[in-house]
Structures are given as C-alpha cells and as structure tokens.
Amino acid sequence: MARWDKLGGIGNIEDRRGAGAVLGGGVTVVGVIIALALNYFGINVDPALVDRVINTTQSNQQESGEFAGEDPYEQFVSRVLGSTDEYWQQELQSQGVSYPKPRLVLFRGATQSQCGMATLQVGPHYCPPDQTIYLDERFFDVLISELDAQGGETAQAYVIAHEVGHHVQQVNGTMARVMNDPGYRQTGENSLSVRLELQADCYAGLWAYAVNEQGIFEPGDIDQAIDAAEKVGDDYIQSQTGQSVNPETWTHGSSAERKAAFQKGFSSGSYEQCRL
Ligand SMILES: [Zn+2]
C-alpha cells in the first residue's frame, strides 16, 4: 500500500457529497439526458457501464449527511491533489509559468459546474472555465466491476493526476492552442483529442515519478496505475462493451498508447518528454 500519509500537501477540495446532490441518493439518473454544454475533459467512460453499476449498487448508496466532516477518502484525495499542486508549482515555475491550484469537487450523482451538469455518467473530468476537477468516486467501482481493473488507491491517484494534467494544459496554454485548431473536433487515433489525452497521461506519469522519489510507492503500487491507464483505452472499452474496435472513433487513445504515455512520464520524470 502506498504511503500517502508521507505526503504533506493539502489540496483544495470541496466536498459536496453530503450537500444534497442534485440527483442520486436513490434517485435514478438512468434515462436523464444531461449534456455538458462546454468542453470538458474526462478520463473515458461509457455511460451504459455506469448505469449498470448504479443499478446494482443503488441500495448501498450513502444517504446525504454521511460526509459532514472529513473522511479518510477526502483526506486521501486531498493529499494526492496537494502533492500534484506541489509538483506542478515547482515544475512550471522552472518554465516561468505560475500555477494556480485547481479545485476538486467530490460529489454524488450529479452537481452543477460551469461546464453544465457534472454527473457520474460523465466520469471524472476537468472543467476549464472553473478550473475544477469533478469526481464521484463510484467511477472506480465501474473500473473494477465493468472493466476488470485492479483498482486500488494508486489507480485512483492516477485518475486524479490525469485530470490535473488537463489543468496543466489549461495553465501552460496547450489547451487553448489545441482547441483553436480547426482539426480539434475530429476523432481518430492521430487526432488532437487523443494527443491531448495522452499528454495528460504522460503528465500523470511525471507526478508519479516525483512521488516515487519521495518513497511513497511500494512494489506493485504503480502497476495499479498502469493497469487503470490500460483499462480506459478506447480499444479496450470498445471491445469490452461489445463494439467493434474502430480507431477512427477514438478520443483518448488505445490501451497500449495510454500505458506507454504514462510510462514515458514515469520513467523519465522529464516535462520535455511529454511534449504534444
Ligand atoms: Zn482526459
């Protein structure tokens, strides 16, 4: 088990889990179509998989009020986010870029964001206008039960670090550059969208490199992150959901590419290695 308690940082967390979710707590969100109005950057998820998990775990859902104070999960997320703050502040400072810390909202079911309604179906994502990551941790149940991921805290940390990677792209100007490109809306294995996602994986690898230097990981921990990166690959999700594997529709990259992108950051620790 990774020694997260060795990380000193405190992230900017807003816990809305007990604050009366817009949906959730027994209210089914199946069939409710909620489109995010603006661009956002998710990890990759198929809403049908999420619905299956919600339907089977509904009776186990926590009631509102359960999360009135800090719980171990919030402390874990805060430490991970805080350590990404420390890492990116230092790294970008050396590039002459100041780093405004992102916010992370924990929610259940659905909550409002400046990108529209953030829902569990959307999966963990980053909303650029409010510089906030939205996370319903039941996404990790989807990873394990529907995508056969190992799960574990390092897998969860990878997902957070990937979303932080999108914040870094917002801060260092990469995101604006890419979104102004006429080809940005296209999908496919060589698309800008895929390259942006693979860079966020590489950035997550950079953070993992820095954390590893601090002696946080124990043998096997990093495998959880690599496994999670593979399990959210477009080809894997397509085959797992009974679709034919079609690279032309890809938005996040294949399992092999995502694994390689994370490992590129993790093995080198070099910001330059993660160039788009
Ligand atoms: Zn992403």
Side-chain angles (χ1 to χ4, degrees), residues 40-44 124-126 158-159 162-163 165-166 169 193 196-198 200-201 251-252 258:
Y40 65 95
F41 297 88
I43 188 88
N44 210 6
H125 61 278
Y126 173 71
Y158 150 72
V159 169
H162 170 96
E163 296 307 334
H166 288 308
Q169 291 169 332
S193 164
L196 212 52
E197 292 300 333
L198 294 178
D201 283 334
T251 55
H252 286 70
R258 299 199 72 164

Side-chain angles (χ1 to χ4, degrees), residues 134-246:
Y134 291 88
L135 177 63
D136 181 328
E137 79 257 35
R138 287 173 299 169
F139 168 75
F140 300 111
D141 298 338
V142 178
L143 259 186
I144 294 166
S145 68
E146 300 298 320
L147 296 172
D148 297 325
Q150 289 180 30
E153 287 183 339
T154 310
Q156 300 192 21
Y158 150 72
V159 169
I160 294 166
H162 170 96
E163 296 307 334
V164 168
H166 288 308
H167 176 66
V168 172
Q169 291 169 332
Q170 158 94 346
V171 170
N172 68 13
T174 306
M175 195 176 279
R177 215 171 63 235
V178 166
M179 285 165 71
N180 283 330
D181 191 294
Y184 169 61
R185 288 281 164 205
Q186 287 162 11
T187 60
E189 53 187 329
N190 298 314
S191 64
L192 279 168
S193 164
V194 165
R195 284 161 58 195
L196 212 52
E197 292 300 333
L198 294 178
Q199 187 183 54
D201 283 334
C202 190
Y203 283 169
L206 290 184
W207 164 79
Y209 173 91
V211 165
N212 193 40
E213 295 282 289
Q214 296 171 53
I216 304 299
F217 295 129
E218 291 181 2
D221 284 334
I222 209 69
D223 295 336
Q224 294 176 356
I226 292 168
D227 172 70
E230 289 183 291
K231 297 293 161 61
V232 290
D234 285 314
D235 54 342
Y236 181 78
I237 290 181
Q238 283 178 335
S239 62
Q240 200 73 3
T241 52
Q243 303 170 59
S244 54
V245 173
N246 179 5

Side-chain angles (χ1 to χ4, degrees), residues 63-100:
E63 293 301 320
S64 288
E66 178 88 6
F67 306 102
E70 280 192 357
D71 61 348
Y73 183 71
E74 182 178 342
Q75 288 167 2
F76 159 72
V77 172
S78 179
R79 283 205 170 100
V80 170
L81 186 66
S83 75
T84 66
D85 288 340
E86 281 173 11
Y87 172 72
W88 284 110
Q89 236 160 10
Q90 207 170 28
E91 180 59 49
L92 291 182
Q93 198 172 38
S94 67
Q95 314 286 330
V97 177
S98 67
Y99 183 71

